[in-house]
Amino acid sequence: MSFRDYLASKAITLCMGAIGILYLTLIFWLCGLSLSLLLILLLSGAFVLLACMLLCWQRADRRLRMLRRRLDAMPEKYLIGETLPRPRDAMELQYDLLMREISRSAIGAVEQARAETQDTCDYVESWVHEIKTPLTACSLILANGGNPSKLRRELRRADNLTETILTYAKLRTVEKDTQISLADLRTVCDQAVREEMELLIAAGISVAIEGDGRAYTDPKLLVCILKQLLINRAKYCPDCRVCMEASENGLLLEDNGPGIPAHELRRVTERGFTGSAGRARGESTGMGLYIVSRLCQSLNLQMELSSREGQFTRFVFRFSAPSLQKR
């Protein structure tokens, strides 16, 4: 920072100092002080004022140069707020507190971004290993004559995995693409079951759709949610029965499968949580219910999950019609 810039930043201080000097000079003139002494007084005051400004500028300039060197030497510059020198006055103390708060906020944001990036990398890595299974199965089926039904089933699995990772990649911006309309819930259920029919048949799962109802939602995202739940049923609840019930109050999906252990129930929607069933399979990514919960948040859709080990798992979705209509 140049001395000229510093003086410009202290324009009010300079003006007040000059006014003070002139005021004292006027008082001494009225008291009968000679013109020569008045001139000496005026020049002395101006000299002291400028000298004070010069010393303050040098002190501030040295401090700024030190901070700049410290900043240039830091690989992660957002940490500068944690390494500021001790404040010298009350004003610097307030600036110091603000900078430290900003720095801590930046540190938190960076750590969160790093964690999300690592989670994404871990998910992509596990997804690559998981998609190898249907692709390898397709190669084996073709090498052994190409059974059409088996080939379609494995292609559906690969398509589901691809759709899941694409949905995960769009989670941050999914609200921008949401299109709310009055949807027929039974039609949505029919579509979800129809698209996953090969996997459900292969897993020996029977699906019953009951009731009827309409709700304001995004039909495409709701189908995506239901498909993910059906895929999970095919993975973890083979040979079970799934009941889907639509009504004006909401949508229910329940199976009579092995259920979820009570100590895992509150964690199943966490990102990357696989649970005992997923670890037993060895190829679970732990992202299915996490994506479902995020999509429900985007749709302002309340999801109630309950389960009893060895008996059932139940999902209840309740639509918030007034808020959705506003959107």
Side-chain angles (χ1 to χ4, degrees):
M1 180 175 59
S2 66
F3 184 55
R4 181 178 179 180
D5 292 336
Y6 182 79
L7 289 179
S9 68
K10 298 293 183 179
I12 295 178
T13 303
L14 284 172
C15 290
M16 296 303 296
I19 291 173
I21 293 171
L22 291 174
Y23 180 71
L24 288 175
T25 303
L26 178 61
I27 291 177
F28 284 121
W29 178 68
L30 292 175
C31 291
L33 200 67
S34 63
L35 290 177
S36 58
L37 291 176
L38 288 173
L39 182 59
I40 292 173
L41 178 63
L42 185 62
L43 293 176
S44 299
F47 175 78
V48 170
L49 181 60
L50 288 175
C52 181
M53 288 290 105
L54 180 61
L55 291 173
C56 291
W57 166 72
Q58 289 179 337
R59 188 181 181 188
D61 189 59
R62 283 197 301 269
R63 196 173 182 85
L64 286 174
R65 289 178 186 274
M66 179 269 293
L67 289 174
R68 191 173 291 111
R69 287 194 301 270
R70 184 175 296 183
L71 182 64
D72 291 339
M74 295 183 68
E76 297 173 324
K77 302 188 186 305
Y78 58 88
L79 295 174
I80 187 64
E82 299 297 316
T83 62
L84 292 174
R86 186 176 180 180
R88 298 177 299 190
D89 53 43
M91 184 59 71
E92 282 197 4
L93 176 61
Q94 297 304 314
Y95 281 126
D96 181 80
L97 293 174
L98 288 174
M99 285 299 299
R100 289 183 185 277
E101 185 176 349
I102 293 170
S103 181
R104 291 190 185 103
S105 177
I107 292 171
V110 169
E111 292 300 323
Q112 182 180 357
R114 285 178 176 174
E116 291 179 355
T117 300
Q118 184 60 49
D119 288 339
T120 301
C121 291
D122 292 342
Y123 174 42
V124 171
E125 183 178 352
S126 63
W127 177 86
V128 169
H129 287 293
E130 190 173 7
I131 203 172
K132 285 181 179 179
T133 302
L135 295 180
T136 303
C138 288
S139 299
L140 292 174
I141 291 170
L142 291 173
N144 289 278
N147 186 300
S149 61
K150 292 182 178 180
L151 188 61
R152 283 196 301 269
R153 183 171 65 247
E154 297 304 326
L155 288 175
R156 167 50 61 182
R157 286 177 178 169
D159 184 65
N160 285 336
L161 288 169
T162 304
E163 184 177 349
T164 299
I165 199 170
L166 288 175
T167 303
Y168 175 76
K170 296 177 181 178
L171 283 179
R172 291 185 178 181
T173 59
V174 68
E175 292 184 358
K176 297 180 181 179
D177 299 327
T178 302
Q179 297 181 359
I180 302 300
S181 62
L182 186 59
D184 184 278
L185 298 181
R186 189 181 185 93
T187 301
V188 170
C189 293
D190 286 335
Q191 181 179 347
V193 172
R194 187 170 57 253
E195 293 186 14
E196 300 302 330
M197 185 63 70
E198 290 90 352
L199 292 183
L200 296 173
I201 292 174
I205 294 177
S206 62
V207 181
I209 302 176
E210 302 173 356
D212 200 359
R214 297 189 301 172
Y216 282 95
T217 186
D218 185 323
K220 182 179 178 181
L221 291 183
L222 186 56
V223 168
C224 184
I225 290 172
L226 296 179
K227 284 172 59 178
Q228 185 60 58
L229 295 180
L230 292 174
I231 292 169
N232 282 5
R233 306 281 75 72
K235 279 184 179 180
Y236 306 119
C237 312
D239 302 316
C240 74
R241 182 177 184 275
V242 175
C243 176
M244 304 174 74
E245 183 177 344
S247 69
E248 297 297 334
N249 296 323
L251 180 62
L252 177 143
L253 186 147
E254 181 177 344
D255 67 71
N256 62 346
I260 302 171
H263 65 279
E264 296 180 359
L265 194 59
R266 62 183 180 84
R267 297 191 58 197
V268 293
T269 57
E270 293 180 6
R271 176 166 46 190
F273 181 77
T274 55
S276 54
R279 289 190 293 271
R281 286 178 54 85
E283 57 183 31
S284 175
T285 61
M287 299 299 291
L289 288 183
Y290 168 74
I291 293 174
V292 167
S293 66
R294 287 290 303 272
L295 291 177
C296 287
Q297 292 175 13
S298 300
L299 290 174
N300 197 16
L301 181 61
Q302 182 183 358
M303 181 179 74
E304 300 172 2
L305 170 60
S306 58
S307 181
R308 185 170 297 171
E309 196 170 3
Q311 296 186 26
F312 70 88
T313 299
R314 180 185 300 127
F315 293 85
V316 178
F317 300 97
R318 303 194 185 280
F319 300 87
S320 182
S323 61
L324 290 179
Q325 284 176 323
K326 291 178 182 178
R327 292 174 60 180

